[in-house]
Amino acid sequence: MGIYQGDERSERAVLALVAHDEKKDDLLQLATRHRSTLAKLRLIATGHTGGQIAAALDIDVERVHSGPEGGDLEIGARIVAGDVDAVVFLRDPLTSHPHEPDIQALLKVCDIHGVPLATNLASAEILLRSLSQAMWWGRSAAESVLTGS
């Protein structure tokens, strides 16, 4: 549904936030730097990550299950349904994850559905700065950033 649909949620883009355990502190620091932008978005996050962000920034975050409990797949399903406009997924590529197939499925649906995906701090900074600037210019600019038009 995100910014593309004509419902009450359409005024705010939906950003999914996910971080492996080894990257949660990095995501919290990133979120703190971009709090004003995140406060203007609808946020969805996997379990523990969402709880940490909500508590640290005092903003609403919709929480799904943790990644190992299917949260990555829940977010992937929301992407397929058109309910997520962008994803920040700070991954730890050096650690083995038992739910790796779920992680790969999430990355794959982002590619298939053209959803912007940041998987490291550098790309997350670019994504959030672009969203911030686009929101300053207005809804049509934000749609351009998210749709690539």
Side-chain angles (χ1 to χ4, degrees):
M1 307 223 179
I3 63 172
Y4 307 119
Q5 303 297 319
D7 66 5
E8 69 279 355
R9 297 186 296 172
S10 66
E11 293 304 314
R12 295 192 302 165
V14 178
L15 176 67
L17 300 168
V18 183
H20 285 146
D21 289 344
E22 301 81 4
K23 300 293 183 175
K24 288 190 191 316
D25 288 341
D26 290 342
L27 183 59
L28 283 173
Q29 291 172 10
L30 177 79
T32 300
R33 285 193 302 276
H34 293 278
R35 188 197 183 285
S36 63
T37 298
L38 296 179
K40 296 173 188 167
L41 301 170
R42 283 192 57 238
L43 303 176
I44 181 172
T46 50
H48 190 243
T49 300
Q52 287 182 314
I53 292 169
L57 302 182
D58 192 30
I59 57 177
D60 289 333
V61 179
E62 178 186 346
R63 294 169 60 189
V64 297
H65 289 88
S66 69
E69 294 175 351
D72 299 334
L73 292 175
E74 286 180 270
I75 290 175
R78 301 276 291 270
I79 290 167
V80 171
D83 293 339
V84 176
D85 299 301
V87 177
V88 171
F89 185 171
L90 297 187
R91 301 173 53 223
D92 178 14
L94 301 178
T95 301
S96 174
H97 300 279
H99 63 292
E100 187 65 31
D102 298 351
I103 295 165
Q104 292 303 315
L106 176 58
L107 303 178
K108 186 176 188 175
V109 296
C110 287
D111 288 342
I112 291 169
H113 293 277
V115 171
L117 169 66
T119 60
N120 58 53
L121 278 175
S123 59
E125 283 285 349
I126 291 168
L127 177 62
L128 291 175
R129 287 179 187 179
S130 295
L131 283 172
S132 177
Q133 184 176 23
M135 285 188 291
W136 189 84
W137 285 103
R139 181 182 162 122
S140 61
E143 287 175 338
S144 295
V145 167
L146 293 171
T147 63
S149 356

